[in-house]
Amino acid sequence: MRERIFTLTLALVFTASLARSQRVDSERVSIAVRSGANLQKFDERDFDGRIQKNHLLPGAHFGIDINIPVSSDFHFQTGFLVINKGSKGVGETKTTTRLSYLEMPLNLVYKKPWGSGYLMLGFGPYVSRGFGGHVTTGSGAVEFSRDVKFTDPAKDDGLSWTPYFERMDVGGNIFVGYMMPSGLFFQVSTHQGITKINPTHNQYPGDRSSIKNTGTGFSVGYRF
């Protein structure tokens, strides 16, 4: 059901953006391409609800965004972003999780002239759909890698070697950036997941575990 809602939302936003851009050229609807690097980790709690420590994991992202003016200072911005998320565990036997998502942000952006360009401040929710990943566990030269399986809902009976995760990730993000007159822009962002992506463990009725994505990123882009 959530996959259908996600797909329908993508289609509606994309169709509305195209229609608006074709209807009124003077509104200056624009498209940008951007890419960059990010640092990710899990906001994690164990079966008893205790906070678990994790190391940051480097990743990358790239995609497009569509900017729709709402007023002279405010804009609606959405698009499609392929982004790597995950986390690196703490301890002698390290577990590194790498997850790949197709993400759609839905941001309200405030733009104000500053110098020769524009200062940008954006915030809003995002919706992501997982499509790949793997988990590597080991110590030293001995490591085992397993492909991730996304299911809705994700359940783990403890008998499988396959790492399961919820397919959908929903959260919020905020960014600050600067755009030059040429259309080149830079931005720094941070995001926090609000839905847990770990599976429900059938053998633990009182399971209080929770894994949520969190991270920061730096992007360079060009707006046409």
Side-chain angles (χ1 to χ4, degrees), residues 22-97:
Q22 293 171 359
R23 186 170 63 247
V24 185
D25 292 336
S26 62
E27 291 182 342
R28 298 175 61 188
V29 175
S30 61
I31 296 178
V33 294
R34 67 183 176 98
S35 64
N38 40 284
L39 292 172
Q40 303 287 147
K41 70 174 184 176
F42 288 152
D43 180 1
E44 183 176 3
R45 293 180 181 270
D46 66 11
F47 297 108
D48 298 320
R50 294 173 296 190
I51 296 174
Q52 299 296 294
K53 293 183 179 180
N54 288 292
H55 291 308
L56 291 169
L57 180 71
H61 60 268
F62 64 91
I64 64 170
D65 70 58
I66 303 167
N67 187 80
I68 304 172
V70 177
S71 68
S72 58
D73 293 333
F74 289 93
H75 302 248
F76 173 69
Q77 203 172 92
T78 185
F80 305 95
L81 195 68
V82 175
I83 182 170
N84 302 133
K85 300 184 181 184
S87 191
K88 183 180 292 187
V90 176
E92 292 184 4
T93 303
K94 294 181 174 60
T95 298
T96 300
T97 305

Side-chain angles (χ1 to χ4, degrees), residues 70-147:
V70 177
S71 68
S72 58
D73 293 333
F74 289 93
H75 302 248
F76 173 69
Q77 203 172 92
T78 185
F80 305 95
L81 195 68
V82 175
I83 182 170
N84 302 133
K85 300 184 181 184
S87 191
K88 183 180 292 187
V90 176
E92 292 184 4
T93 303
K94 294 181 174 60
T95 298
T96 300
T97 305
R98 300 181 186 273
L99 305 173
S100 296
Y101 290 89
L102 176 63
E103 185 164 294
M104 182 179 70
L106 301 165
N107 290 326
L108 179 65
V109 182
Y110 175 73
K111 290 184 179 180
K112 196 69 176 177
W114 194 61
S116 59
Y118 288 88
L119 185 66
M120 303 180 294
L121 174 63
F123 63 93
Y126 72 81
V127 181
S128 297
R129 185 178 189 274
F131 65 85
H134 61 272
V135 175
T136 302
T137 305
S139 177
V142 181
E143 291 185 340
F144 301 92
S145 184
R146 296 159 289 162
D147 290 334

